[in-house]
């Protein structure tokens, strides 16, 4: 680990006032908070605090890992992340708020009800550091100036009406979040594969749910053909505009993948329903964006370096797949996958480590992180006077947390590959999709 790659903590800041942060969301290992205080420095960030989980890396370890491992690989596409010192009061106070939200009908920053995990874990009160991460949500730069200024005079209102046809200010109008998944085919797929790794897993899981239904076992009813219409990662990385557009359309129609900012100013009253106010510039931009988002995103994903970069990295790391050299030797020409016990015995006999080495081709930890990362796209729009709508997109990669062998992950990854191959799911049985060609049969 190169210490020169790790930025120092934020100078002059110690966060100790829980009232300056509101709940934003949470995952299995972390809780996110949005800043509502007076310091403009924190406006572009979210505060990420880790939960109390046995054996989890500390915030300092995670910060060092993000910058030393992913900084050189992703450069400016890495979600901006800083580390900040925490005071002694903020974690206990935020934990109290979390406990209260479990007992009350609490809401998050957008007014949506907070639905905590069934077994919520509180923040780690032994942690003295937090991460401030770039906020990729939208709607943060639409109304701030409007909200801060006093009630406008008649002259100012007339000026606003005249300027409403255009503005040089960029508006963060939309955000798209999705996991690109396996942009390069699994190196452990058979040579005659038809489905990519992602689509093969989806198809296997959908068939399993259908089997449960036929047997009368409780489970979610799944339409197999509808399920596999989710986007194919190989479409996204194909370079073919038609395939990229198909993937883009599927991504934009996934649940919770798109957030469009509310174009209505918080300061607006409902007004007289018999004489509705004319649409504002923000409302015009939002309507135009909604109708052109597929085209806009297709062009971006087809031209931006981000998808080719992730594809190249996925091909570089873990290029041998989840099986060790001893495993591949056991498979031999018959291409029959050995059991975990056979893998262990073969490794002992050859002196090979059972867990992967640190070489790029054997580094399945980095490989799997790359296949489980999230891509955040923030769409900025503006309409300048006398011109049409202009748009730009910021792309950042997140969810790059440190992965390791704890919890049997390596065994699980091998087991999935074993089931995919032995079940014939890579061959596309029961599917009309061909991920290799991008065609439907």
């Amino acid at each position: 680990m190169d210490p020169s790659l790790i930025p120092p903590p934020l100078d002059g800041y110690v966060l100790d006032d829980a009232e300056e942060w509101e709940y934003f969301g949470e995952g299995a290992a972390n809780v996110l908070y949005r800043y509502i205080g007076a310091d403009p420095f924190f406006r572009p960030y979210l505060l990420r605090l880790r939960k109390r989980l046995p054996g989890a890396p500390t915030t300092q370890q995670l910060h060092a890992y993000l910058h030393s491992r992913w900084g050189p690989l992703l450069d400016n596409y890495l979600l901006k992340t800083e580390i900040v010192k925490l005071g002694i009061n903020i974690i206990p106070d935020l934990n109290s708020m979390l406990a209260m939200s479990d007992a009350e009908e609490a809401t998050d920053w957008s007014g949506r009800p907070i639905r905590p995990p069934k077994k919520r874990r509180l923040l780690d009160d032994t942690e003295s550091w937090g991460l401030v991460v770039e906020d990729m949500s939208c709607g943060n730069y639409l109304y701030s100036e409007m909200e801060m200024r006093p009630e406008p005079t008649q002259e100012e209102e007339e000026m606003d009406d005249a300027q409403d046809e255009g503005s040089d200010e960029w508006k963060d109008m939309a955000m798209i979040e999705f996991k690109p998944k396996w942009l390069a085919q699994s190196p452990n797929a058979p040579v005659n594969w038809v489905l990519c790794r992602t689509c093969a897993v989806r198809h296997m899981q959908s068939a399993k749910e259908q089997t449960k239904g036929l047997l009368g076992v409780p489970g979610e009813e799944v339409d197999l053909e509808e399920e596999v219409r989710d986007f194919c990662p190989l479409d996204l990385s194909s370079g073919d505009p038609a395939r990229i557009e198909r993937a883009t359309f599927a991504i934009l129609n996934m649940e919770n993948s798109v957030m469009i900012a509310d174009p209505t100013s918080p300061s607006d009253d409902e007004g007289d329903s018999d004489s509705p106010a004319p649409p504002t510039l923000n409302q015009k931009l939002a309507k135009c964006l909604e109708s052109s988002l597929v085209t806009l995103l297709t062009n971006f994903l087809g031209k931006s370096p981000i998808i080719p970069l992730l594809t190249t990295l996925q091909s570089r790391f873990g290029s041998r797949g989840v099986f060790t050299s001893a495993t591949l030797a056991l498979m031999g020409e018959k291409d029959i996958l050995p059991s975990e016990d056979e893998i262990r015995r073969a490794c002992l006999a050859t002196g090979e480590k059972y867990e992967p080495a640190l070489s790029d081709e054997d580094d399945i930890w980095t490989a799997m992180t790359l296949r489980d990362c999230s891509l955040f796209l923030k769409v900025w729009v503006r309409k300048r006077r006398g011109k049409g709508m202009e748009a730009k997109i910021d792309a950042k990669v997140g969810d790059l947390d440190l992965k390791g062998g704890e919890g049997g992950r390596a065994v699980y990854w091998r087991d999935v590959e074993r089931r995919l191959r032995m079940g014939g799911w890579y061959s596309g049985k029961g599917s009309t999709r061909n991920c290799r060609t991008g065609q439907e049969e």
Side-chain angles (χ1 to χ4, degrees), residues 172-228:
D172 56 334
M173 194 63 75
M175 185 273 286
I176 299 94
E177 175 188 355
F178 69 99
K179 289 184 178 294
K181 294 295 184 179
W182 292 64
L183 296 166
Q185 176 63 301
S186 168
N188 297 128
V191 294
N192 62 339
W193 63 269
V194 174
L195 293 183
C196 72
R197 208 272 193 178
T198 301
C199 291
V201 169
R202 289 177 186 149
H203 209 66
M204 178 176 67
Q205 292 173 341
S206 298
K208 182 179 180 181
E209 291 298 327
Q210 277 199 333
T211 302
K212 284 184 179 180
L214 292 173
L215 296 175
V217 179
E220 183 180 355
E221 293 186 6
V222 178
D223 185 323
L224 190 57
E225 286 304 310
E226 181 179 350
E227 176 72 11
V228 297

Side-chain angles (χ1 to χ4, degrees), residues 167 170 285 380-384 387-392:
S167 170
W170 288 100
L285 288 173
W380 300 81
V381 296
R382 70 178 178 182
K383 183 181 182 302
R384 305 179 71 179
K387 298 183 179 180
M389 186 185 78
E390 297 178 338
K392 64 179 182 178

